[in-house]
Amino acid sequence: MKIVLQRTKKASVTVNEEVIGAIDHGFVLLVGITHGDTIDDAKYLAEKIVNLRVFEDDNGKMNHSLKDVEGQILSISQFTLYGDCRKGRRPNFMEAAPPDTAEPLYDAFNELLRSQGVPVETGSFGAMMDVQLVNDGPVTLIVESQSGKK
């Protein structure tokens, strides 16, 4: 699994001109799933993300986690994270897991985040979505599961 994490002051996702998810401060997660990803990858990433210390303390140091600041998550499925642009002019998405594999793992990942006590809003798997966010910092990180590292 590969996740682009963006620290945000607020964010929302819209499908068919209807806001289906919105958060205040926290993280926007763009979540990509590849072949061979498992529930263990989802567990690893859920624990890593909610405890990642990327929020400033009173001294301006990144010492606080999402849990510490009572932040929220907006989780968006993003198969294009596994787009390969090395050849030609059109990305190849062969590394992205098919929807029947990716969707249940994406849903499980979101439930694992919630089980850590973090409010989670989501987009709509497979839908065309408009995502709006106000980057905080900006702080943007790529977080990968252990099996996703190459």
Side-chain angles (χ1 to χ4, degrees), residues 12-21 76 122-131:
S12 65
V13 59
T14 302
V15 176
N16 296 324
E17 300 182 24
E18 179 184 343
V19 174
I20 63 168
I76 307 294
T122 65
S124 179
F125 189 93
M128 288 296 292
M129 296 175 272
D130 295 327
V131 180

Side-chain angles (χ1 to χ4, degrees), residues 19-149:
V19 174
I20 63 168
I23 63 166
D24 292 321
H25 75 288
F27 294 148
V28 170
L29 304 180
L30 304 178
V31 181
I33 298 171
T34 190
H35 307 282
D37 283 341
T38 67
I39 194 68
D40 288 336
D41 295 292
K43 287 177 184 175
Y44 169 81
L45 286 169
E47 193 278 331
K48 174 67 80 176
I49 287 167
V50 299
N51 293 296
L52 199 60
R53 298 186 315 167
V54 295
F55 292 92
E56 284 88 8
D57 62 16
D58 293 337
N59 297 318
K61 301 284 184 188
M62 288 186 177
N63 278 328
H64 293 303
S65 71
L66 187 69
K67 284 178 157 181
D68 295 333
V69 300
E70 298 180 355
Q72 304 165 312
I73 289 176
L74 177 61
S75 175
I76 307 294
S77 62
Q78 189 77 42
F79 79 95
T80 60
L81 288 179
Y82 281 102
D84 184 348
C85 299
R86 292 177 290 181
K87 288 185 178 179
R89 305 222 183 264
R90 184 178 308 152
N92 172 327
F93 297 107
M94 298 300 291
E95 291 300 313
D100 62 332
T101 301
E103 187 172 12
L105 191 53
Y106 169 71
D107 291 342
F109 171 70
N110 292 322
E111 287 306 313
L112 287 162
L113 291 168
R114 289 181 183 107
S115 75
Q116 300 253 353
V118 176
V120 177
E121 296 281 321
T122 65
S124 179
F125 189 93
M128 288 296 292
M129 296 175 272
D130 295 327
V131 180
Q132 294 184 327
L133 70 140
V134 176
N135 275 333
D136 183 11
V139 173
T140 303
L141 301 166
I142 297 172
V143 187
E144 294 183 86
S145 62
Q146 293 177 346
S147 69
K149 294 180 183 174

